Amino acid sequence: MQSKFIIGIEEEYLLVDKDSLALADVPEALMDACREALQDQVSPEFLACQIEIGTKPCETAAEARDDLCHLRSTIARLSAAHNLAPIAAACHPFSDWKTQETTDKQRYSQLESELEDVARRMLICGMHVHVGIDSDDLRLDLMPQLSYFLPHLLALSASSPFWKGEDTGLASYRMAVMDNMPRTGLPPQFDSWAEYERTTGTLVDLGIIADASKVWWDLRPSVYYPTLEARICDVQPRLDHAIALAALTQALCRMLLRLRDGNLSWRKYDRFLISENRWRAQRYGTRNTLIDFGDRQMKGFDTLFEEILGLVAEDAEALGCLDEICTLRDVAKGGTSADRQRKVWDSAPEGKGGEAVVRHLMEEYHADL
């Protein structure tokens, strides 16, 4: 088995005005200051109110935490000079996508031209976790096995219950928006790397997409790095939860390769079945049951999480991230960011729920820095 499982984390943040608490565009001076401080670890996003960061390749969760803490702290410090603050939630609780401006870049203009309102509605922020896997064939072999756990990662990460000032009833409304995009959702199963290249290459050869980076599955082989990229998670308001989810993704990859070295593998379930768990995670987060397909039973999420923890404990120990993963116990039992946001909204004075949630998200952003 490979000796290292390098991880990298990409996050998208929303910028809000500290007075109105509504979304605000990233000033050019702020982006320039961020680039000067963080170099190529920061970039604009499709909408002008968003900013994206990426950690360096890290060997351990602790190393990733240090880098992500530096990135989040720097963005917050530089934004404050413009009376702005970042929030790390997948949706803003009350701002409207129709009033947002797109970033003035050629590739974003092309995306907007191709997808129209489907693209303009993308007022959502996710967290992507890259895990280094040594070979193309290994990445394709792991992809359908790791897909089984994508709903569990989504459930733990849910941070988008509100949209345009209304409670959507979902724990992750971000997924409902994302699923309107083409080439999204759970990845199909491929028998070989060659088949994957032929399939995605068909769209490239026809001029539909420039390259496979325009394939936005929940899990995909990265076009630019030798990694599997898990794209299922809502961005996390709290740094510690972001690191825990990245560590769990890393440990799951190691567990699956460990099984492979013993001539074993996780069963590759049909996308139809996994999609049902994906929907339940999107709807309920950790507050309801998911299907255990092996036992053919509905199980509470806290029970499922303890089972997953048992599966990856050996791998988490080897990677030095067991403590980080165990912090997710509180999420599995006590609820996600979506649950915390709803509690804040419900306890706020009438008509002030959205503003109270933004203040709460600003506080959570700084809680673990």
Side-chain angles (χ1 to χ4, degrees), residues 329-346:
R329 275 186 167 133
D330 289 341
V331 179
K333 294 179 180 179
T336 64
S337 169
D339 297 309
R340 298 194 299 276
Q341 289 179 51
R342 284 193 170 105
K343 288 179 181 178
V344 170
W345 184 293
D346 291 343

Side-chain angles (χ1 to χ4, degrees), residues 53-246:
I53 58 85
T55 69
K56 299 172 183 177
C58 301
E59 291 191 15
T60 66
E63 184 182 342
R65 191 191 193 287
D66 289 343
D67 197 20
L68 190 58
C69 182
H70 170 64
L71 292 168
R72 285 194 175 206
S73 298
T74 302
I75 297 295
R77 174 174 56 82
L78 296 175
S79 296
H82 298 268
N83 198 43
L84 301 175
I87 59 172
C91 293
H92 189 278
F94 64 82
S95 287
D96 191 335
W97 63 270
K98 292 180 181 178
T99 64
Q100 307 308 312
E101 298 293 330
T102 55
T103 299
D104 186 16
K105 291 185 70 172
Q106 192 276 332
R107 69 187 181 101
Y108 294 141
S109 297
Q110 182 179 353
L111 183 66
E112 185 178 14
S113 176
E114 291 175 355
L115 301 179
E116 296 291 351
D117 271 7
V118 170
R120 288 188 283 269
R121 289 185 75 244
M122 293 289 286
L123 186 56
I124 56 176
C125 294
M127 179 182 80
H128 304 163
V129 179
H130 291 258
V131 181
I133 304 296
D134 283 347
S135 76
D136 295 339
D137 288 334
L138 275 180
R139 287 193 285 280
L140 259 294
D141 186 45
L142 290 192
M143 196 158 68
Q145 299 178 63
L146 186 58
S147 291
Y148 179 89
F149 299 98
L150 293 178
H152 304 79
L153 294 171
L154 173 61
L156 288 162
S157 74
S159 70
S160 46
F162 302 109
W163 183 254
K164 294 171 56 176
E166 295 184 357
D167 190 330
T168 66
L170 305 183
S172 176
Y173 191 73
R174 164 182 161 266
M175 297 306 294
V177 178
M178 189 71 194
D179 286 346
N180 286 302
M181 295 279 284
R183 303 177 294 279
T184 56
L186 294 168
Q189 293 189 19
F190 300 100
D191 292 330
S192 67
W193 182 260
E195 183 187 4
Y196 162 76
E197 288 193 314
R198 284 195 303 271
T199 301
T200 56
T202 297
L203 301 188
V204 175
D205 294 343
L206 292 172
I208 296 173
I209 58 176
D211 56 44
S213 68
K214 299 301 185 291
V215 175
W216 298 300
W217 296 324
D218 297 339
L219 178 68
R220 69 181 184 183
S222 173
V223 173
Y224 305 112
Y225 311 107
T227 64
L228 267 181
E229 180 187 3
R231 303 166 50 84
I232 190 78
C233 289
D234 281 6
V235 71
Q236 291 304 283
R238 297 195 59 162
L239 171 66
D240 283 353
H241 293 156
I243 295 302
L245 286 164

